[in-house]
Structure formats: C-alpha cells, structure tokens
Amino acid sequence: MANRIKQLRKENGLTLKELSREVGIPASTISQYENERRKIPGSASKTLSTFFEVPENYILGAWSEKEVLELMSSSLLDNYEKIFEMTSIYAKGYEWMLFEFIDLKNKHELGEYDYEEREVTAENEILSNNYMSLAFSIMRFVYFEGEYDNVLYELERKKHEDAKEVFFQIRRMDLGYKQVKNLVSNLHKKSSSKAKKEYLNDYFRKDIYLKSVLSSLVVQKLMAEKVTAETMALSLVTAVNYESMRIIADHNAAESVKAGDHTNKMLQQIDTLSKRIDELQKENDRLKAELASKR
C-alpha cells in the first residue's frame, strides 16, 4: 500500500504548493514522497502526521479501521453472488453443506473423511482468490451465527413437540442458511454499491464477533504496517474463521451450562423426593407402631 500523503492532501483540498507552505517542505520533495521516488525521513513523517492529525505510521501506509472494513465490504460485494450461486451448483438441495463442511483453515482432499469431489472443487475455487476466501469466510460466519443464535429460539418454541435430534440438526442448518439468504436479500435491496457498502460497514461494526476481528492481534499488527490488500485479506480470513469457531465454542459452552442447570434441577428434585419418601416412611412406621399398640 502506498503512503497516504497524496490521499490526505486531496482530502484536505490542498495543492502541493499549499501543503509545502503549511509544513515547510519543498513541493518537489513532497511530490517525490507521494510518488514513492524518495524515502520519507522520520522528521518529514512526523511533521506531516502532526499537520494532518493522524498517526505517523498511517502517513507511511498503515491501514485504518475504516479501510479494513471497506476491504471486507468490497470483497463480499464482489463475490457474494458467485458464492451464493455455488451453494446451488455444488450442494444442490443441501445448500448449507458448503458452509458446514468447507473450512478454509484445513484444506481437504479427495479420499479424506469422505469429502465429495464437488466440495473439494468448490473449496479450490474459493481458495484461488484471497478476496473470494474473505467473502466466503464472512458468509460462513453469518451462517454459523444464524445456526446457533436462532436454533435456541426454535428449540425453545418447539420444546413441547418432542421432536427427534435428527430434526433439530436439520432445522439448525436450515436456520444458518436462512441467515445467509437474508444477508444476500438485504444486499440486493440496496439500490447502489455505496448503499450496500454502508449497510455492510454498519453490520460489521455492530456485530460483537466481527468487531473482535478488528481487535485480533494479527490484524492489529498488519494494520500498523504497510502490507498489500491481498495480505490483509488473508489475515482477515484467519481472523473471521477464528471468530466463527468462537461462536460455536460460546454456544456449546452455553448449552453445557444449560445442561448443567438441568442436571442440578433434577438433582434438587431427587433430593426433595428422597426427603419426602423418608418422611412418608417415618409416618408409615409410626402408624404401624400405633396400630400394633392397639391390638
């Protein structure tokens, strides 16, 4: 990524001469900095960062949070239709399978764990482009979030129906894919690319897990450096995949707590019943003794 001098100068409506006058650096020298024909010394980057009121490493080409969000948004916008189409091509009838079984952290091969050719083909296509990988990771994240957030509500709503576990598993997956379709539907409703990006930026900022992506140590380290968009996209894939796994872990932990609560309630009920049985047994013994004394 290039340094930000030209970007900041234009954002502030300044010509080279005007900026030169403000910071005391010759216009020809600033031009060389902007076009990266000359290395920016520490004194100049400090002067420019003070003038533009931005971190010094940002002057040199570091990433801002806004740019990371824009990279996530643009990657998704450029690829969401293709990925959504792939769910029908490679997993027709079981569209959720693409998100359930493809994990970009662990590349699969034919013959391993019964992965089908269509799944491996889809995975290879996704991995061929860092931006598509990022878009897929985000959609997979949305899938898992929908799967685990909504299934708790659905199970609670159906708790009196005594449905089988298989039914619950299929419903869970359907709910995850429904959330992906909802995201795609919302993007289609937006009339312009700008409106779609604004929707996604707002979505990323509000989501508690996706906000954690920006605070990832790897992402933070790369944001502070001058890295290419492809490198940043690849690091975001890792961070988003991690957050997807955290969703699963958090919900499994919550379910374990609920299971623990359920067990505790059962133990309390057993304890109460045991005490009641003891009381009844004592009463029974008393009545027997009373009856025997009357004979």
Side-chain angles (χ1 to χ4, degrees):
M1 181 174 283
N3 68 65
R4 313 306 183 100
I5 301 173
K6 183 184 283 188
Q7 171 194 328
L8 289 166
R9 176 171 64 78
K10 291 194 171 184
E11 284 177 359
N12 286 271
L14 298 169
T15 64
L16 279 168
K17 286 184 179 179
E18 287 169 339
L19 179 57
S20 173
R21 192 163 54 247
E22 292 286 344
V23 298
I25 301 173
S28 59
T29 302
I30 294 175
S31 177
Q32 288 178 318
Y33 292 160
E34 288 184 351
N35 295 294
E36 304 207 310
R37 290 198 297 266
R38 185 170 174 173
K39 187 177 179 181
I40 306 171
S43 57
S45 63
K46 187 173 182 179
T47 298
L48 290 164
S49 69
T50 301
F51 175 75
F52 287 119
E53 297 181 341
V54 296
E56 198 170 336
N57 64 357
Y58 184 73
I59 289 285
L60 301 175
W63 288 72
S64 67
E65 182 178 303
K66 179 183 175 185
E67 286 166 332
V68 173
L69 289 172
E70 285 177 348
L71 178 63
M72 291 171 70
S73 296
S74 59
S75 295
L76 188 55
L77 289 175
D78 289 344
N79 292 285
Y80 79 93
E81 288 184 332
K82 174 62 178 173
I83 293 169
F84 197 67
E85 181 185 332
M86 286 169 69
T87 63
S88 295
I89 296 173
Y90 294 115
K92 194 169 186 179
Y94 300 95
E95 282 80 2
W96 48 264
M97 285 177 66
L98 205 68
F99 302 108
E100 190 80 22
F101 296 143
I102 292 181
D103 182 354
L104 299 183
K105 298 196 308 307
N106 303 301
K107 193 174 186 302
H108 304 126
E109 295 179 3
L110 287 174
E112 212 177 291
Y113 307 112
D114 297 324
Y115 287 104
E116 295 187 19
E117 185 175 357
R118 62 186 180 183
E119 292 163 23
V120 176
T121 304
E123 189 174 78
N124 288 337
E125 186 172 344
I126 293 163
L127 286 167
S128 67
N129 183 296
N130 286 351
Y131 303 116
M132 183 180 281
S133 294
L134 177 54
F136 177 79
S137 293
I138 293 170
M139 291 177 81
R140 185 170 182 263
F141 163 87
V142 171
Y143 167 82
F144 278 120
E145 194 173 44
E147 176 180 300
Y148 283 92
D149 279 351
N150 292 320
V151 73
L152 297 177
Y153 166 76
E154 286 293 317
L155 292 180
E156 182 66 22
R157 193 167 65 84
K158 295 177 178 292
K159 65 183 178 182
H160 300 299
E161 295 184 16
D162 195 27
K164 293 181 180 178
E165 182 63 24
V166 174
F167 169 79
F168 286 148
Q169 289 292 324
I170 294 172
R171 281 299 293 153
R172 191 190 80 189
M173 293 166 179
D174 285 346
L175 287 163
Y177 191 63
K178 183 179 179 181
Q179 188 117 329
V180 175
K181 288 195 287 186
N182 186 51
L183 172 67
V184 172
S185 175
N186 283 333
L187 286 173
H188 276 301
K189 288 175 184 175
K190 305 301 174 185
S191 56
S192 66
S193 180
K194 183 181 177 183
K196 289 177 181 178
K197 276 193 175 182
E198 286 175 353
Y199 166 76
L200 288 175
N201 285 348
D202 189 51
Y203 184 92
F204 296 152
R205 285 182 190 281
K206 285 181 178 177
D207 193 286
I208 186 172
Y209 289 99
L210 282 175
K211 277 165 69 177
S212 295
V213 168
L214 298 174
S215 62
S216 160
L217 291 177
V218 175
V219 173
Q220 283 287 311
K221 186 176 186 303
L222 290 177
M223 281 172 68
E225 297 177 2
K226 189 175 180 176
V227 299
T228 64
E230 287 79 9
T231 300
M232 181 57 78
L234 194 58
S235 72
L236 288 170
V237 168
T238 303
V240 174
N241 281 335
Y242 172 79
E243 290 306 318
S244 294
M245 295 303 101
R246 199 151 77 87
I247 286 174
I248 296 170
D250 285 354
H251 280 279
N252 285 345
E255 286 172 3
S256 295
V257 169
K258 286 186 176 182
D261 288 344
H262 181 63
T263 302
N264 289 334
K265 285 178 182 176
M266 286 182 67
L267 289 172
Q268 287 173 3
Q269 289 173 349
I270 290 169
D271 186 51
T272 301
L273 286 170
S274 296
K275 287 177 180 178
R276 181 62 179 146
I277 289 169
D278 287 341
E279 289 170 359
L280 289 170
Q281 187 62 50
K282 287 177 183 178
E283 180 66 11
N284 187 57
D285 292 342
R286 187 187 67 76
L287 289 171
K288 276 185 178 179
E290 186 179 326
L291 184 63
S293 66
K294 289 179 178 178
R295 285 176 181 170

